[in-house]
Amino acid sequence: MPTPERTTLEEIVAAARDLLDDGGPAHVTMQAVAQRVGVRAPSLYKRVRDREALLTLVSTRTALDLGASLAEAGDDLEALARAYRRFAHEQPEGFRLILGGPGDPEVIARVSAPVLRAAGAVVGEDRALDAARLLTAWVTGFATMELLGAFRLGGNVDDAFEWGLGRIVSSLEPQETAPIRHSGR
Amino acid sequence: MPTPERTTLEEIVAAARDLLDDGGPAHVTMQAVAQRVGVRAPSLYKRVRDREALLTLVSTRTALDLGASLAEAGDDLEALARAYRRFAHEQPEGFRLILGGPGDPEVIARVSAPVLRAAGAVVGEDRALDAARLLTAWVTGFATMELLGAFRLGGNVDDAFEWGLGRIVSSLEPQETAPIRHSGR
DNA sequence: ACCTGAACACCGTTCAAGT
DNA sequence: ACCTGAACACCGTTCAAGT
């Protein structure tokens, strides 16, 4: 005889995200998640294979949220970079989780799309990938090091971000015909 | 009556690093570490406060190794960037661990020193910090995204690295008098 | 002074039994 | 068809007892 469903996958993932936000991955226990959605831990295994799969779901949803934030930010490279950094500040644990595990190629493609489009508009289609990678790598590293606390010594970090952003973007703009250096490997 | 010491802190940290390297943080259990150094788990608590403290030690040692690799790499910005990336490839788990937790300011200062010195030689003392941050953020992000698998689609990744490196470094060199863009916040 | 077995609390996961 | 208590394996940590 059927029993009414007392929770949903959506609720479970949301609960896991909340727990992650305040306490990091260690705080995301199956029991804590279960309690939050009003169920016992074993019941979670009806919707989720195991804890690792749940964390992967959290990572994917968080990455898609990042993608949505970027899509909202417009098609200006600087606006995209600022939105990316803002996301890292607002959801540091989620940001770290995304960067930690291996990423789902499809999700990566979706998140990258806005940056790729904006980059294409500036440098042309065939350099778009290189340009997008340059900017994305820089913002990713900047936010990571900020979260790490590596920028504590000296100067205003917001200014450092804007300075670096200006450097990166202007190095991409076409009127700058800097010689392309080929250095040996 | 004294008992001979059957292990050392150094041995314990080395064992934890080995376990981290093949299996990630989840593989670093107190029991596994203990077994590797030939002792029972409770004995570890004579040298280490708890598991978290042990992982912090591993992070610190790994970061100092990275610093040593950089110091060996010379005082060329491009050589430093390549050495940094090589380290991330050789010890991906250690690299992720360093980037994960909060960093010890003293360790960060030590690891940054070679990049700061090389940057100062190129752009002068007063821009050295900005330049070092620009390069470090980019390499950190590049390596992180590589480990994530975010660079799987399209093109040779080594070439992308060299291309980006050339862009970054040449954007720093003094003969390039690109206008500094100030964008609003 | 260090090492150990035993014990405790907690966690992930399985499963038979309930409805 | 979903939910649960009970159970199991495993983990981090403490501590009294050994040498």
Side-chain angles (χ1 to χ4, degrees):
Chain A
M1 204 162 289
T3 293
E5 316 193 349
R6 264 189 266 267
T7 185
T8 65
L9 179 60
E10 230 45 55
E11 251 189 338
I12 290 169
V13 175
R17 283 186 74 167
D18 287 348
L19 287 163
L20 178 74
D21 279 344
D22 55 61
H27 218 249
V28 185
T29 68
M30 297 303 267
Q31 328 222 14
V33 171
Q35 190 181 3
R36 260 186 188 243
V37 301
V39 108
R40 300 291 183 166
S43 298
L44 299 178
Y45 294 84
K46 281 282 149 178
R47 335 254 174 198
V48 152
R49 187 155 35 98
D50 54 18
R51 180 174 178 272
E52 193 185 329
L54 175 55
L55 285 175
T56 299
L57 280 172
V58 170
S59 173
T60 299
R61 308 293 165 113
T62 309
L64 291 176
D65 280 1
L66 169 59
S69 294
L70 296 183
E72 273 180 41
D75 48 4
D76 175 41
L77 279 180
E78 301 200 352
L80 286 169
R82 291 191 193 103
Y84 189 102
R85 180 177 178 233
R86 195 179 320 122
F87 188 91
H89 287 179
E90 284 169 0
Q91 301 194 39
E93 292 295 345
F95 183 72
R96 271 195 269 246
L97 182 67
I98 294 174
L99 261 38
D104 175 349
E106 202 175 337
V107 174
I108 290 170
R110 184 113 116 220
V111 176
S112 315
V115 181
L116 216 45
R117 207 178 320 120
V122 174
V123 302
E125 283 313 313
D126 39 329
R127 310 220 84 146
L129 187 59
D130 280 332
R133 279 173 173 170
L134 182 68
L135 183 72
T136 307
W138 175 74
V139 203
T140 299
F142 195 97
T144 299
M145 298 187 68
E146 249 184 307
L147 263 38
L148 209 164
F151 285 170
R152 271 174 303 211
L153 282 194
N156 180 301
V157 182
D158 290 336
D159 289 347
F161 181 81
E162 291 298 330
W163 181 83
L165 182 53
R167 279 284 185 179
I168 297 269
V169 171
S170 75
S171 101
L172 289 176
E173 275 159 0
Q175 73 269 22
E176 308 261 348
T177 41
I180 294 175
R181 290 163 51 104
H182 270 284
S183 30
R185 325 199 316 100
Chain B
M1 207 163 288
T3 293
E5 316 192 350
R6 263 187 265 268
T7 185
T8 65
L9 178 60
E10 230 45 54
E11 251 189 340
I12 290 169
V13 174
R17 285 186 72 168
D18 287 349
L19 287 163
L20 178 73
D21 280 345
D22 55 61
H27 218 249
V28 186
T29 67
M30 297 303 268
Q31 327 222 15
V33 171
Q35 190 180 3
R36 261 188 187 242
V37 302
V39 108
R40 301 291 184 166
S43 298
L44 299 178
Y45 294 83
K46 281 282 151 177
R47 335 253 174 200
V48 153
R49 187 154 36 100
D50 54 20
R51 182 174 177 272
E52 194 186 327
L54 175 55
L55 284 175
T56 298
L57 279 173
V58 170
S59 173
T60 299
R61 307 294 163 110
T62 308
L64 291 175
D65 280 1
L66 169 58
S69 293
L70 296 183
E72 271 179 42
D75 47 6
D76 174 42
L77 279 179
E78 300 200 353
L80 286 169
R82 292 193 193 103
Y84 189 101
R85 179 177 178 234
R86 195 177 320 122
F87 188 91
H89 287 180
E90 285 170 359
Q91 301 194 39
E93 292 294 346
F95 183 72
R96 271 195 268 248
L97 182 68
I98 294 174
L99 260 38
D104 176 349
E106 201 175 338
V107 174
I108 290 170
R110 186 113 115 218
V111 176
S112 315
V115 182
L116 216 45
R117 206 178 320 121
V122 174
V123 301
E125 281 314 312
D126 38 331
R127 310 218 86 144
L129 186 58
D130 281 330
R133 280 173 173 169
L134 181 68
L135 183 73
T136 307
W138 174 74
V139 202
T140 299
F142 194 97
T144 299
M145 298 188 66
E146 249 184 307
L147 262 38
L148 208 163
F151 285 170
R152 271 175 302 213
L153 282 193
N156 180 302
V157 182
D158 290 336
D159 289 347
F161 181 81
E162 291 297 330
W163 181 83
L165 182 54
R167 280 284 184 181
I168 297 267
V169 170
S170 75
S171 100
L172 290 177
E173 274 160 1
Q175 74 270 21
E176 309 261 346
T177 41
I180 294 175
R181 291 164 48 105
H182 270 284
S183 29
R185 322 201 315 103

